Amino acid sequence: MRVLACGSILFCVAFAIHLVWWRVSLPRRQPRALLVLFPAVFAAGLAAMRVAVPDWAPATAWEALHALFMFGALTLAYIGTYPALEADSPTMAMVMMLDAAGDQGVERSAFEAAFDASTLLVPRIRDLVRDGMADEDDGRLRLTMKGRVFVGILITHRRLMGMGKGG
Amino acid sequence: MQEQALRLVLPLAALAADVAVQMAWHRLARRKSLFRSMGAGFAAGLGVLAWLEAAAGATGLDGLGLAVADLVIYTCLGYFYYNFISLGETGRRVRLMWELHEAPRGLTMEELLARYPAGEVFSQRLGRLLRKGQVRLHGDRYRIANPTMLLLTRAILGMKRVVMGKGSEFQ
């Protein structure tokens, strides 16, 4: 039970600190801040548990590693969901616009005009530059090494499945 | 010690089975469906995990705790893999990066938007909503036809408000 208790309690603590931090001041690079915060909370929390509640803390190095696996898996699952919270999904924006219009619905031309590059794509291009995935030099956007590695993994995976570009 | 080290491998072995079955299913199935391949992969991984947990033979409350922890680890990793696939399928940032990847000399903003136009983003998503019966075109007006996507959208917006303190990135 120590692995289960340690992994889940420390994840809840990290999540609570993340909520408070985000409500006080949104970090500029949110995914990066999450990747710093969560491991730091695990390390500090594990040390604190050994002192404050030794019966609940992992008794051996293997148990601590198992608890780290559980904490890491919970963190990855949350970080995987995070893009849906950080950026507005076009599908969600469409559904909300139609919901707001009620039974009347939205005229075809007005619906199509509401979604253009300035809302659908330009903010995402800025995200790429902000997150260090691409840089802009002399008016041209290029992938950085980090961006090349990241998209390379996704491209390889999709090619292995026999799939082309998504989007 | 060897037994404890092996325990750590159980959810990873289950994830490996999930990924292998998902990819093979998607490649070999006549009717390509990402959703079905992901379901098949997850079920296969769950089966492998159950078999390995039974073989590990842990008993008592501690054994149950470890088995539940392994189930949580596998479910989270499987969910992360699902998000990874979705990112490649529908992520705008990934598609933009793919276009930049194919242009080593780089692209201007206009060239990038010409390769991946906003109209394509819009029509892909509207097409999915129409095909799945979530939205319908009645005369010249679009309307919500099924509340499933609406409920999901409201749930995500609720989470957004809790975490970010706002419902939209443009607020």
Side-chain angles (χ1 to χ4, degrees), chain A residues 38-80:
Chain A
F38 277 68
V41 169
F42 182 81
L46 190 62
M49 280 182 87
R50 293 192 106 137
V51 176
V53 278
D55 289 348
W56 286 34
T60 65
W62 288 110
E63 277 192 1
L65 200 57
H66 207 153
L68 174 64
F69 263 44
M70 185 173 159
F71 181 88
L74 286 163
T75 303
L76 276 180
Y78 180 60
I79 287 175

Side-chain angles (χ1 to χ4, degrees), chain A residues 112-159:
Chain A
E112 288 170 7
F115 298 94
D116 61 11
S118 68
T119 53
L120 294 177
L121 291 167
V122 174
R124 302 290 75 81
I125 295 171
R126 293 208 182 106
D127 287 350
L128 293 180
V129 176
R130 184 200 63 194
D131 295 336
M133 296 290 188
D135 52 30
E136 194 170 7
D137 184 34
D138 215 13
R140 298 185 83 78
L141 290 150
R142 289 180 189 86
L143 284 183
T144 59
M145 183 54 77
K146 181 180 162 189
R148 225 162 253 291
V149 169
F150 180 79
V151 80
I153 294 168
L154 280 154
I155 291 173
T156 305
H157 178 261
R158 284 185 72 79
R159 287 196 175 139

Side-chain angles (χ1 to χ4, degrees), chain A residues 23 30 62 66 81 88 99 103-106 108 120-121 124 140-141 157-158 160 165-167, chain B residues 1 27 62 70 79 81 89 92 95 102 106-107 116 140-143 154 160 162 164 168-169:
Chain A
R23 296 306 291 267
Q30 294 163 36
W62 288 110
H66 207 153
T81 309
D88 286 355
D99 181 45
D103 289 341
Q104 282 198 329
V106 180
R108 194 175 186 163
L120 294 177
L121 291 167
R124 302 290 75 81
R140 298 185 83 78
L141 290 150
H157 178 261
R158 284 185 72 79
L160 281 172
K165 290 175 189 171
Chain B
M1 193 179 103
R27 276 216 81 114
D62 277 344
D70 286 344
Y79 177 68
Y81 181 58
E89 182 66 8
R92 286 165 290 165
R95 172 61 186 275
E102 288 182 343
L107 296 169
Y116 184 36
D140 195 32
R141 302 184 86 85
Y142 289 109
R143 290 188 180 95
R154 283 183 180 159
K160 239 175 138 99
V162 170
M164 319 291 258
S168 164
E169 65 179 303

